[in-house]
Amino acid sequence: MRFYRLAAAAAVLLGLAACGSGGAGGIGGILGGGALECNPGTQVQLANPGPNQSVGGGIGSIEIVANGNNNTLYSTYNQWNLQLISNLGDQVTSGSLNLTADPNGPHPYQSDFYYSASIQSLPSGRIWTVELNQTSNNCTPYPLQSFST
């Protein structure tokens, strides 16, 4: 009887793992307590505002810079957005990413590709942590740097 219970439990776990999609994490997501981190496939950082920069709340957009164009982010950029979380718990989600040119932007990589996303006005007096989120995948947003308003 004990063997049948163990076999049934194993079958349930395998069935649940098969239901995991995208970055849901399969058994690791079930037993590990969460989704895998969204993976852009390359290095990414804030470009405008820059990391730790202080800006006005009406900036209108956030820009990021990525290393190269042979990666997941470049091939699926319209399926990504930015999530901003303030030190006071405010949460703001941007529009979808768009490729953009920024010849005067920071050049941290050998091959820089810039993406921007529209953002609503932000309250002042906050520190905003920016996260890169793949909207077509059930994954944990990829953390970037912070800026303040």
Side-chain angles (χ1 to χ4, degrees), residues 33 45 59 123 129 147:
Q45 71 177 47
I59 58 175
T129 300
F147 69 94

Side-chain angles (χ1 to χ4, degrees), residues 8-93:
V12 167
L13 281 176
L14 288 175
L16 289 173
C19 292
S21 64
I27 288 180
I30 294 167
L31 300 179
L36 296 175
E37 184 173 86
C38 298
N39 184 356
T42 190
Q43 298 167 297
V44 181
Q45 71 177 47
L46 279 176
N48 189 17
N52 303 313
Q53 185 178 358
S54 184
V55 296
I59 58 175
S61 67
I62 303 285
E63 185 178 278
I64 60 173
V65 58
N67 186 4
N69 66 347
N70 187 17
N71 53 64
T72 302
L73 180 60
Y74 181 81
S75 62
T76 60
Y77 65 86
N78 60 348
Q79 297 172 19
W80 294 77
N81 66 15
L82 300 172
Q83 295 183 354
L84 284 67
I85 302 166
S86 83
N87 59 318
L88 299 179
D90 304 294
Q91 294 185 14
V92 174
T93 301

Side-chain angles (χ1 to χ4, degrees), residues 90-130:
D90 304 294
Q91 294 185 14
V92 174
T93 301
S94 77
S96 296
L97 292 181
N98 294 296
L99 278 170
T100 190
D102 191 350
N104 297 321
H107 295 283
Y109 310 116
Q110 198 166 17
S111 180
D112 299 315
F113 281 79
Y114 297 90
Y115 304 86
S116 67
S118 60
I119 198 81
Q120 69 187 45
S121 289
L122 302 171
S124 61
R126 312 266 197 295
I127 299 170
W128 297 94
T129 300
V130 180

